[in-house]
Amino acid sequence: MQSTQIICPTCRSKLLIPNELFADGSQIGCPVCRTVLEIEMPRKELPAPQAEEKPFQPEKDKQLVIVPPEGSRLESYRYSPSVMEILAPRPVFNPRMYRPLLFVAGWFAFVFFLSVMSAGMGPVLLLFSIPLLFVGLSMLYGMSKTLTEKQDIDLIGNHLKINKTRIFNSENISIPYHKIEKIGLTRPGTKLISTNLNNMGTPRSPRYSSNVPTVFYDGGKKATLLEYVSDREKQWAVDLLRGFVREVAEVEVG
């Protein structure tokens, strides 16, 4: 039987009273001086609440950032856990394009002037302007990509599909997930003259660089995408594609 020791406030007698006697709230008097004692039952301390244990969340299960960066013209949709689409519309003409366009126009003016001068000196010299003309046409083709290309990136059926629609030479690439080796930002090859011309408009801009999202697959092959968007959009796309491939196909990509 549990008891509580108290001291009478009047006669200072020490009393040991069973808890059962005052558990119902009835009055108890001191057996020595008959003083009515006011006694409070000792409160039981509640155990401290245990911290909630959260289940371990592996890296691949973290939520992917599906929404593009603020202000982006890119659009993204996740139709199901294994189907996603990223759309890049045709670029809007902006001041960044003036410098490369002026450069291409100046190049053709130079070739025309050189051709006129060569024609006056002899038809043989005119042949020297032909390679310069082809260089100008190549730059003009590159600018047509910048101004007219739209991209549709689909992740469906265990494949990454990159569809680039242009006025000239549209491109469609389909890459199985299990053949993807790496997804990252790299500098474009020399053949991507359109990317170099596009970035020539703002060579020191903190928002744009010549690095482009690149998919390495099947023993060293490369496929680039979203070449003409800002650095924030490029990094967002790289992180999203890496995470999606890991989550859906459980393929570790660098």
Side-chain angles (χ1 to χ4, degrees), residues 153 155 160 162 175-177 179-186 212-217 221 223-226 234-246 251-254:
I153 302 159
L155 297 109
L160 168 61
I162 305 172
I175 307 171
Y177 291 156
K179 291 190 176 182
I180 297 177
E181 301 160 359
K182 180 182 177 181
I183 301 175
L185 292 172
T186 60
V212 297
T214 305
V215 180
F216 297 83
Y217 66 99
K221 296 180 181 178
T224 61
L225 59 144
L226 303 178
K234 292 175 183 177
Q235 188 61 59
W236 165 81
V238 167
D239 293 340
L240 178 57
L241 293 178
R242 281 177 181 166
F244 189 90
V245 172
R246 288 172 182 167
V251 175
E252 288 298 327
V253 293

Side-chain angles (χ1 to χ4, degrees), residues 11-179:
C11 65
R12 309 304 295 176
S13 299
K14 293 183 179 181
L15 307 174
L16 192 64
I17 302 175
N19 291 344
E20 294 178 354
L21 296 180
F22 52 85
D24 56 357
S26 59
Q27 292 183 341
I28 300 175
C30 175
V32 179
C33 63
R34 305 300 181 183
T35 301
V36 177
L37 304 176
E38 295 181 0
I39 304 172
E40 293 184 0
M41 282 289 294
R43 297 181 180 179
K44 294 183 179 180
E45 294 186 359
L46 298 176
Q50 296 181 352
E52 182 182 357
E53 294 185 1
K54 297 182 179 180
F56 173 72
Q57 190 176 34
E59 184 74 21
K60 69 175 184 178
D61 291 336
K62 289 187 177 179
Q63 184 177 4
L64 301 178
V65 181
I66 306 297
V67 181
E70 185 178 359
S72 172
R73 296 182 66 244
L74 300 178
E75 298 179 1
S76 63
Y77 307 93
R78 190 166 189 177
Y79 302 107
S80 72
S82 60
V83 179
M84 191 176 68
E85 181 181 25
I86 301 174
L87 296 174
R90 289 186 174 90
V92 177
F93 190 82
N94 59 73
R96 294 182 63 240
M97 300 178 183
Y98 284 130
R99 184 178 296 182
L101 283 175
L102 290 175
F103 181 82
V104 173
W107 184 273
F108 277 106
F110 168 73
V111 173
F112 177 77
F113 175 77
L114 184 63
S115 300
V116 173
M117 296 292 295
S118 301
M121 298 179 182
V124 177
L125 295 178
L126 187 61
L127 297 176
F128 287 100
S129 62
I130 294 178
L132 300 178
L133 178 62
F134 279 108
V135 172
L137 292 175
S138 177
M139 290 190 291
L140 186 62
Y141 167 71
M143 286 304 303
S144 73
K145 284 186 178 182
T146 303
L147 296 173
T148 66
E149 181 179 278
K150 66 177 182 178
Q151 296 187 16
D152 184 3
I153 302 159
D154 298 309
L155 297 109
I156 183 173
N158 291 325
H159 281 71
L160 168 61
K161 300 180 180 180
I162 305 172
N163 304 308
K164 301 180 180 181
T165 304
R166 315 174 183 124
I167 294 180
F168 306 106
N169 193 26
S170 295
E171 184 178 6
N172 299 295
I173 302 173
S174 181
I175 307 171
Y177 291 156
H178 69 274
K179 291 190 176 182

